[in-house]
Amino acid sequence: MGKRNSQRKSAAMFDSDDDSSVTSSSTARSDLMSVSGTEDVQFDQESLLDQALDALDEKRGSTREKAFLSIIDAFNTNMQHQFVDKKFATLLHQCLASIKKGSKKASAKEIALASHAIGCLALTVGCGDNAREIFEESVRPLDESLASSADVSKTQSLLECLAIITFIGGNDQEETERSMDTMWRVIHPKLGSNVVAVKPSAQLITAVVSAWSFLLSTVSNLKLNAKNWQNSISYLSTLLDKGDRSVRIAAGEALALIFEIGVIDKFSAESKSARDTTQEESKPQESYIFLQGLKGKVINQCKNLSVEAGGKGSAKKDLNSQRNLFRDILEFFEYGYSPEISMKIGGDSLQTSSWSQMIQLNFIKHFLGGGFTKHMQENEFLHDVFGFTPKKRYLNNNEHRMSGGEKRMFKSPNSVLNKARTQLLNKQRLLSEGRNFGHYAVSVADDEA
């Protein structure tokens, strides 16, 4: 344990800007060579990941939390394919050990971090047997943890993890729908004699609706259960009247998606085929009429929200986001136009032209945070999801493309290597001057001796 702690402290020293961290010229040259070569940098990253993975066995919860933070940061900074090839199963089961009830005395923060780490792992491996294993091994522990969770931040991470692993590792629509039902039960629990209804917070409602919409965006063949869709649309409509802006935006996006995938249109088709049937068989027509009425209500709500005046304490940026969103929803309802988004990823442009794509992009961007650009540039799974092909930048065998963190570490004016480089240049300048003035040549030679 002591050895690993000392190694972590040594790694942390690279973030220091103190002058005492200036290395010798020989060390600086070797470090510069390491940075320019892919193998050495990759070795350092894997070494730090190995240390973090070992730290997940520590008894102290705060140590495990820091280890998860290091792992998540590493997966955001670079595509950790080599590490995953070697330690996939170990990392997955360590994460699940923190989530499973009773296996460790894990804090809400640790469970949230472990859930996020599983999501990062799934995005890294992409579709395939590993993604399937993540899904099969994780669904039940996530479900159980969601059922017993009272901490909003932990619940949000669990929901996001469930959404990501289902998105990547789920095999069919039934599995997707089961995950969506699990999410819905977080804010609509099945009440029993021992269950007390608790009013969910705005943050929790937003998290559930966002994750639910993310999975709904992947569903192609809807099961037309009229009662379920009526209840869902009615509930989302009530959310448009809530005081929290994030709730209203999440609900608005979900409603736009529901209408984009053709819920009302499919009930319309069923109602037309049921016009000449018996009264018992005419229920599709009744459902269609009811849903049309709900759509009219939603349109009126969207009109009001698209021109809402800012109240006391309202953030102008958030208010503008709401207005723009509901104007887009109105345009979609009235003319069938979905919003078109163009986002710069490095020197490339990523474009979406549907509510489903926009919801998927926003969800994954939120989940990855600072690692979004890196993944969009190098994650082949995400390239397939969004039909995005970044410009290929071919590297020489000895060239390594630095991440933002590595640039700060090695290229900023206050970095260890820049200070060492300055020191080296100063010595070389003295040597050059010494060739003209013997005094300096002697003194420098003596110093180096």
Side-chain angles (χ1 to χ4, degrees), residues 94-244:
Q94 287 284 30
C95 292
L96 291 174
S98 291
I99 294 173
K100 289 177 181 177
K101 188 176 180 180
S103 60
K104 289 181 180 178
K105 293 181 179 179
S107 65
K109 181 179 179 181
E110 181 181 339
I111 293 173
L113 291 169
S115 302
H116 197 87
I118 290 176
C120 291
L121 181 62
L123 282 169
T124 299
V125 301
C127 290
D129 293 340
N130 283 346
R132 185 63 191 168
E133 183 177 344
I134 292 173
F135 177 78
E136 291 176 344
E137 295 287 334
S138 305
V139 164
R140 185 171 180 178
L142 291 172
D143 190 351
E144 292 174 350
S145 191
L146 280 167
S148 61
S149 176
D151 185 279
V152 175
S153 61
K154 180 179 79 171
T155 302
Q156 182 173 346
S157 292
L158 291 166
L159 288 165
E160 291 175 353
C161 178
L162 179 59
I164 291 290
I165 67 169
T166 305
F167 180 71
I168 302 171
N171 273 350
D172 54 46
Q173 186 168 314
E174 287 187 3
E175 291 176 341
T176 299
E177 290 177 353
R178 281 198 294 271
S179 291
M180 292 170 68
D181 288 340
T182 298
M183 295 169 179
W184 210 247
R185 287 200 306 271
V186 173
I187 50 178
H188 290 291
K190 293 180 180 179
L191 299 181
S193 57
N194 297 324
V195 179
V196 178
V198 178
K199 184 178 180 181
S201 65
Q203 184 182 349
L204 182 58
I205 293 172
T206 301
V208 169
V209 173
S210 297
W212 184 86
S213 300
F214 176 66
L215 289 185
L216 179 62
S217 70
T218 69
V219 175
S220 54
N221 298 315
L222 293 170
K223 289 184 178 179
L224 296 181
N225 185 312
K227 184 177 180 181
N228 287 348
W229 282 113
Q230 289 172 16
N231 290 341
S232 297
I233 296 173
S234 295
Y235 176 70
L236 292 169
S237 174
T238 63
L239 295 184
L240 295 181
D241 295 327
K242 295 293 183 181
D244 189 272

Side-chain angles (χ1 to χ4, degrees), residues 191-326:
L191 299 181
S193 57
N194 297 324
V195 179
V196 178
V198 178
K199 184 178 180 181
S201 65
Q203 184 182 349
L204 182 58
I205 293 172
T206 301
V208 169
V209 173
S210 297
W212 184 86
S213 300
F214 176 66
L215 289 185
L216 179 62
S217 70
T218 69
V219 175
S220 54
N221 298 315
L222 293 170
K223 289 184 178 179
L224 296 181
N225 185 312
K227 184 177 180 181
N228 287 348
W229 282 113
Q230 289 172 16
N231 290 341
S232 297
I233 296 173
S234 295
Y235 176 70
L236 292 169
S237 174
T238 63
L239 295 184
L240 295 181
D241 295 327
K242 295 293 183 181
D244 189 272
R245 186 163 286 124
S246 64
V247 170
R248 298 197 294 268
I249 289 175
E253 290 179 346
L255 286 163
L257 177 61
I258 287 171
F259 292 119
E260 180 182 69
I261 62 181
V263 171
I264 289 184
D265 293 338
K266 291 177 182 179
F267 276 108
S268 173
E270 286 199 1
S271 70
K272 288 177 182 177
S273 64
R275 283 177 181 172
D276 298 327
T277 60
T278 63
Q279 183 177 358
E280 180 65 25
E281 294 172 329
S282 66
K283 287 184 179 180
Q285 188 171 359
E286 295 175 7
S287 297
Y288 172 65
I289 294 171
F290 183 81
L291 288 171
Q292 280 285 25
L294 274 177
K295 183 178 180 181
K297 178 187 176 184
V298 168
I299 289 173
N300 287 330
Q301 289 174 301
C302 291
K303 285 180 179 177
N304 293 333
L305 291 169
S306 69
V307 294
E308 182 187 46
K312 184 177 180 181
S314 295
K316 187 174 180 180
K317 182 180 178 181
D318 293 340
L319 179 61
N320 288 337
S321 296
Q322 174 186 290
R323 288 172 177 168
N324 292 335
L325 171 70
F326 285 100

Side-chain angles (χ1 to χ4, degrees), residues 14-31:
F14 283 103
D15 293 330
S16 173
D17 287 336
D18 189 82
D19 289 339
S20 63
S21 63
V22 176
T23 59
S24 67
S25 58
S26 60
T27 304
R29 283 194 296 270
S30 63
D31 286 343

Side-chain angles (χ1 to χ4, degrees), residues 5 7 41-42 308 342 385 392 429 441:
N5 285 338
Q7 288 172 329
V41 173
Q42 187 64 36
E308 182 187 46
S342 181
V385 169
K392 299 295 182 182
R429 190 178 298 112

Side-chain angles (χ1 to χ4, degrees), residues 371-387:
F372 173 73
T373 299
K374 183 71 173 180
H375 274 261
M376 285 307 306
Q377 289 175 328
E378 299 185 11
N379 190 318
E380 293 182 0
F381 168 73
L382 293 183
H383 296 169
D384 292 338
V385 169
F386 296 109

